[in-house]
Amino acid sequence: MAATTTHFKVNNGDMHLLTTSSGRTILVDCNIRAEADDTDGDAPDVARQLKARLKRDSEGRYYVDAFLLSHPDHDHCRGLRAHFHLGPLAEWRAEDDKIVIREMWSSPIVFRRADRKHVLSDDAKAWATEARRRVAKFRAQGYLTDGDRILILAEDINGKTDELGAILIRTDAVFQEICGFTQSDFRARLLAPIPPQHDDAEEEALTKNNSSVVLNVELGAFSLVGASHFLLGGDAEVGIWERLWVRNEADPSVFEYDVLVAPHHCSWHSLSWDSWSEKREKAQVSHAARKALGQPLQGAYVISSSKPIKDDGSDPP
């Protein structure tokens, strides 16, 4: 089968399903609104649409092989508790029929930066609790199985992740494993979050931006020959893209994409420090951020995960 991607209509928010040619499923964020769960509402029933694209395991449980949470804003994890099983697999209940997350992909740094500036939603807190449970299990037994697996994306402060070994993906690293197995048709490079520099000014600048996991994913047809590139950046704003360009300008290929999911739902602040509503045409685009986001391959697409853009004073995000 060919690799496929599904980009769900969730208004301003992210929810994308990547399916490899070998059938592995990677969910990137979720934004399942209450109106989407209302059978009488007009919002697309994205939970049902997601399940229609998933398989059940030998115990009859829907599952995703991996679930990447780019960052804990509510429009990226809304509906988590209602639709996904959290906790040990032994506690899964058929009557709830929730989706099992075989492997979480999570970053402690984006949680730390979000928590310093924003109050976390109940869904975000539930994700963090489940991530801690899985990490604690790894520390206790040294290995994990489906339903308990987790990959930690980027190093935490003060050496807190130094002993995580097999489950730690360091910034700038390339990995091909999903659920503990190397894939011949999948590869991903972790570009952000950028590790802490023990610089208060630097950390404050990152906190003021929506710091997110930035991942460049390659999906191939049974191998990586001719693979397609998908650049995923969550809500990463201009300060993040500037720093990423400085770190990688010697090798711009790390940013190349066939599909770019527009950061922060087409926010102008992915490219500029200036307010468009205040300065309009006088607003300045950041050269470095534009270079980082301006590496399309021939025929590339930019996908907007947002409500319609009408320039009517109520634009995304």
Side-chain angles (χ1 to χ4, degrees), residues 231-253:
L231 185 56
L232 308 165
D235 281 4
E237 292 197 349
V238 58
I240 303 300
W241 295 108
E242 287 182 342
R243 286 161 176 79
L244 286 177
W245 180 253
V246 170
R247 287 171 64 89
N248 296 283
E249 61 181 320
D251 183 13
S253 67

Side-chain angles (χ1 to χ4, degrees), residues 18 26 66-68 103-106 150-154 166-192 213-219 224 232:
L18 315 182
I26 305 164
F67 188 152
L68 165 63
E103 183 170 77
M104 299 173 72
W105 295 357
S106 185
I150 186 168
L151 290 182
I152 298 299
L153 305 183
I167 66 170
L168 174 63
I169 306 296
R170 296 182 181 275
T171 302
D172 299 323
V174 175
F175 65 99
Q176 289 188 247
E177 296 76 28
I178 300 175
C179 292
F181 293 91
T182 300
Q183 309 296 307
S184 63
D185 54 359
F186 160 86
R187 181 164 58 199
R189 181 186 296 271
L190 179 63
L191 296 171
V213 172
V214 178
L215 203 65
N216 199 334
V217 175
E218 296 176 70
L219 298 179
L224 290 169
L232 308 165

Side-chain angles (χ1 to χ4, degrees), residues 52 76 91 127 136 153 157 180 204 227 258 270-271 291 310-311 313:
H76 291 256
E91 298 176 2
W127 176 277
L153 305 183
I157 62 172
E204 181 64 15
D258 293 285
S270 294
L271 289 169
K291 292 293 288 186
K310 299 179 179 179
D311 196 20

Side-chain angles (χ1 to χ4, degrees), residues 119-274:
V119 176
L120 296 177
S121 70
D122 288 339
D123 282 319
K125 291 176 182 177
W127 176 277
T129 297
E130 176 67 3
R132 286 193 294 268
R133 180 190 75 82
R134 296 185 182 209
V135 170
K137 188 157 189 174
F138 175 78
R139 290 185 186 276
Q141 63 186 28
Y143 68 92
L144 295 171
T145 56
D146 289 353
D148 292 324
R149 296 184 189 273
I150 186 168
L151 290 182
I152 298 299
L153 305 183
E155 308 92 311
D156 202 352
I157 62 172
N158 301 326
K160 292 182 178 181
T161 53
D162 288 354
E163 298 179 358
L164 294 183
I167 66 170
L168 174 63
I169 306 296
R170 296 182 181 275
T171 302
D172 299 323
V174 175
F175 65 99
Q176 289 188 247
E177 296 76 28
I178 300 175
C179 292
F181 293 91
T182 300
Q183 309 296 307
S184 63
D185 54 359
F186 160 86
R187 181 164 58 199
R189 181 186 296 271
L190 179 63
L191 296 171
I194 301 167
Q197 302 298 313
H198 307 289
D199 181 325
D200 291 340
E202 176 83 355
E203 280 299 293
E204 181 64 15
L206 292 173
T207 301
K208 287 179 179 177
N209 291 274
N210 290 306
S211 184
S212 298
V213 172
V214 178
L215 203 65
N216 199 334
V217 175
E218 296 176 70
L219 298 179
F222 302 104
S223 74
L224 290 169
V225 176
S228 296
H229 294 247
F230 297 81
L231 185 56
L232 308 165
D235 281 4
E237 292 197 349
V238 58
I240 303 300
W241 295 108
E242 287 182 342
R243 286 161 176 79
L244 286 177
W245 180 253
V246 170
R247 287 171 64 89
N248 296 283
E249 61 181 320
D251 183 13
S253 67
V254 303
F255 299 107
E256 290 180 347
Y257 57 84
D258 293 285
V259 174
L260 167 67
V261 177
H264 206 174
H265 330 299
C266 287
S267 170
W268 169 252
H269 288 295
S270 294
L271 289 169
S272 177
W273 294 96
D274 294 336

